[in-house]
Amino acid sequence: MLELIVRYVGDLKRLQEEIGFMAEELLAGYAIVRIAPELAPLLLSAEEILWTEVPARVYTEVAGGKRAACITALQGQQTGLTGRGVLVAIIDSGVDYMHPDFRNEDGTTRIEAIWDQTAQGEGEPPAGYFSGILYTRERIDAALRGERGTDGRSLVPEVDLSGHGTHVAGIAAGNGRASGGRYRGVAYESTLLVVKLGGTQLDPFPQTTNLMEAVDFCVRYAADAGLPLSINISFGNSEGAHDGRSLLETYLDAVSLYGRNSICIGTGNDGSAGLHVGGNLLDAGENERLEETEILLEVGSEERRLRMGLWVSTIDTIELSLVSPSGIVRRLPENIRGTGTAIKGYPAAGGTVLNFGGTAAEVFTGEATPYRGIREIAITLRGKNGTIEEGIWRIRMRPVRILDGTYDIWLARGEENTLTRFLRPTPERTLTIPSTAGRPIAVAAFDARTSSIAAFSGRGYPRAERYIKPDIAAPGVDIVSCAPGGGYTAKTGTSMATPFVTGSAALFLQWGVVLGNDPYLYGERLKAFLIQGAGRLPGLMQYPNSYVGDYGIIVSVIVPRRFASESDFV
């Protein structure tokens, strides 16, 4: 089955009856569609379908924290904020629900529900969704008591294999019971809502579609329960224009307006990974001859498939060539301005295949869309009978007619071979998608031990530079938090920085919404006060800053003075 992200108007049910496909209708006119490939043209020709996207993989962002973020003082007697009455949603690799930090003093669970998108067996998915099993609070408590299903398995067989989700949940909301309170999280009396992201049988990695379903579920759940919601997303990818205009990004912007919620997203760990090159083809000056630009890509051993996206303005014309390490030169088709290979965003027609001996390069050339005036030239290298030719590949761009000149190339992650990278990378604009969305809070990482930037942290700004990203930075180096099995471990990455802000947002929501001090303290308003309390790192003089955001690192939480009993909560 083909899976698509769809932006639509009107009634999808009529189309389902006429064509025959499955659809999960999300909020704000978005849907996840599963359809037989041969039926896709019928769907795409329907007037109800505005645009589509093919889903991409998302990856976890793993590469002392509370005190550096002034959370300890905020949790103190002066304010008494603990997150009570707020849902904290962890969309990740799952959670060790048996860990003491996610249980109350009487041993019952602090988790409202777990949706395991990968699960099969006894149970059903949430209403309106097709995959996995929803484990309720009652079922989790029964599993904690040792009760088993008719098949002899635990009533909740969900397992966090990587430990990533458990670690993230502990930072945002762990109560520290297993450590006597030493490793207590930020919103330690909040209620957890967990989604374990799943993939497909053909590709077990989570997809952007799984992420959208998870966010949709959490927002609807919180609205039905009448609770404010703080969502943590520590996943991302580099497949896209990084301009905030993909269907995933615009969906997150739209769903941010539903209910009383805050969405926090990590900026990724690509800052020093060598996965991005950008520049301008007009840098030689108007009166000089436009020179050919050559990008060097080193491909390590055992790489089987690599995908990169070159984004250029639709009004520019270039000639593009690829050169293999053995010196074979192949030029792309003449009409690089767009060959019409996509129908409403879906690349239905075949691209161009360039042969380099044992390696093939598949090239799809895009065109402007109703949502953006730039286009993608997607290049996929694959080994015909094994691995891609190892060594230095060259991407040559010769300007023909340049009016804008801006170009960006992002290399999607391959087999995690650190030798595969651009040799002269551009660390700016290395935010992973969807932290490039406008309304959610994009969280970068800094090293609280040395009060310095974290080189790995994804940097701003989004390609169109319509707004500043990241929004803020939080501690993300050697953060100790919960590990499966009941103990603790240290991890590094923007995955670890993000839940500090997620937990802080939960404290805001408690103070404003739950306690009635400011019923409108969510969304953009919450983000504004969070940024207002940001501090600066030594040595960084210019703000906003592509490393740490609008105004820097999270050092205090400031509430509106007309409501606060104290001038500042720090």
Side-chain angles (χ1 to χ4, degrees), residues 306-319:
L306 287 175
R307 185 186 185 279
M308 67 191 91
L310 167 60
W311 293 86
V312 295
S313 173
T314 306
I315 61 177
D316 291 339
T317 304
I318 62 173
E319 290 180 356

Side-chain angles (χ1 to χ4, degrees), residues 1-6 12 15-16 19-26 31-40 43 49 52-53 55 115 117-118 125 128-132 198-201 206-214:
M1 295 289 284
L2 174 66
E3 188 173 61
L4 293 172
I5 304 169
V6 169
L12 271 188
L15 285 179
Q16 287 181 262
I19 300 175
F21 60 86
M22 300 173 65
E24 294 174 337
E25 296 185 33
L26 309 181
I32 308 300
V33 166
R34 294 172 178 88
I35 188 170
E38 62 272 16
L39 297 178
L43 175 68
I49 304 302
T52 64
E53 281 181 8
W115 178 19
Q117 294 181 340
T118 70
Y129 305 92
F130 298 143
S131 62
T200 64
Q201 291 183 343
Q207 308 287 311
T208 49
T209 45
N210 304 122
L211 178 59
M212 292 174 69
E213 292 164 341

Side-chain angles (χ1 to χ4, degrees), residues 24-27 32 87-92 111-117 124-137 140 192-197 209-227 229 231 233 251-252 255 258 261 263:
E24 294 174 337
E25 296 185 33
L26 309 181
L27 293 166
I32 308 300
L87 274 180
V88 171
I90 305 297
I91 299 174
D92 216 287
I111 302 173
E112 179 68 19
I114 301 173
W115 178 19
D116 184 349
Q117 294 181 340
E124 301 292 335
Y129 305 92
F130 298 143
S131 62
I133 296 175
L134 179 66
Y135 302 113
T136 63
R137 176 187 290 272
I140 297 170
L192 286 156
L193 183 63
V194 177
V195 180
K196 179 177 180 178
L197 292 178
T209 45
N210 304 122
L211 178 59
M212 292 174 69
E213 292 164 341
V215 172
D216 194 81
F217 163 74
C218 292
V219 171
R220 290 179 189 269
Y221 196 105
D224 290 343
L227 296 174
L229 171 70
I231 298 178
I233 300 174
Y251 170 74
L252 290 174
V255 82
Y258 279 75
N261 69 59
I263 301 176

Side-chain angles (χ1 to χ4, degrees), residues 143-155:
L144 290 173
R145 294 192 298 267
E147 298 180 23
R148 295 191 171 272
T150 57
D151 57 1
R153 301 171 65 204
S154 168
L155 282 172

